[in-house]
Amino acid sequence: MKKIRIIIVSVLAITLWSACENDGFYYQDEPRVRLKGPYEWALNTDSLEFSFASSPSTVTKQEMLMTLHVMGNPVNKDRVANLELVSAQSTATSSQYSIPLQVTVPANQLTVNFTVDLLRTVELQDKTVRLYIKLAESADFKTGVVEQDHFLFKWNDVLSKPKNWETELKSVFGEYSLVKYRFMIDILDTATFSSETMSWAELNNYKIKMRNALTAYNEAHPTEPLKDENGQLVSF
């Protein structure tokens, strides 16, 4: 009886191991596909949020690396998976993103990466937009598990006043304005200023750089010096 039990346990272990080899699934059905977003943004969820606000204005695109996983066995030919945009759950316009509607899985491969580009437009300074994508059946693949057959992107360019502006930064850079803060980000290539991580000398050096940059900007635009959203001249 003991030998029989050992044989049964061994057979079950081998069967379970074989079943789990295939992309983590016990899968013997038609080829299917599933989606995964970039871990650093999505953290293994089905959505992500991103803001351009802390990036210089020269940054107009953010690439999000997506991964398409095949559920099934590799084959010795290229296969194509389809994606579709779900307009009912999206608010982004076509000028605010770029996405391939077909993704080719190379022969003998079970995963392939592709990018969704989130684009920066002026409208994003006032609102967050959404892009909802979903897998669709193709000649090569059906859709996979419901939890991973879709993905939601949310992004904006909404800049908010740093919490430490009145207590720390006002004495260095002066009165706050959105225009001033964006100008600082463009020139200094950072959106974080704090006396907790920076010395007084470093903050003062930033102020000098901003004064010089503002002088250069105003000299280049003698009839249109830099003004804030309230029509007041920007100063440091």
Side-chain angles (χ1 to χ4, degrees), residues 145-208:
V145 291
V146 174
E147 295 80 6
Q148 293 183 322
D149 70 350
H150 62 277
F151 200 85
L152 173 64
F153 302 87
K154 294 186 284 187
W155 71 104
N156 63 42
D157 190 15
V158 179
L159 194 63
S160 58
K161 182 178 181 179
K163 293 180 179 179
N164 66 333
W165 190 280
E166 294 298 324
T167 57
E168 296 182 35
L169 304 181
K170 184 177 178 179
S171 61
V172 180
F173 301 111
E175 294 292 337
Y176 173 82
S177 74
L178 284 172
V179 172
K180 175 185 283 189
Y181 192 27
R182 285 193 182 277
F183 189 54
M184 290 171 62
I185 294 171
D186 284 347
I187 300 301
L188 302 174
D189 198 20
T190 181
T192 303
F193 310 94
S194 173
S195 60
E196 293 183 2
T197 57
M198 303 172 66
S199 67
W200 177 88
E202 288 175 309
L203 286 172
N204 195 57
N205 184 50
Y206 273 169
K207 179 171 69 173
I208 294 170

Side-chain angles (χ1 to χ4, degrees), residues 128-148:
T128 297
V129 296
R130 298 160 52 96
L131 176 65
Y132 191 97
I133 65 172
K134 189 176 176 65
L135 289 167
E137 288 191 13
S138 68
D140 296 310
F141 298 109
K142 292 187 178 297
T143 59
V145 291
V146 174
E147 295 80 6
Q148 293 183 322

Side-chain angles (χ1 to χ4, degrees), residues 74-85:
V75 297
N76 61 356
K77 66 171 185 176
D78 290 354
R79 292 179 288 180
V80 174
N82 289 338
L83 292 168
E84 64 180 6
L85 309 178

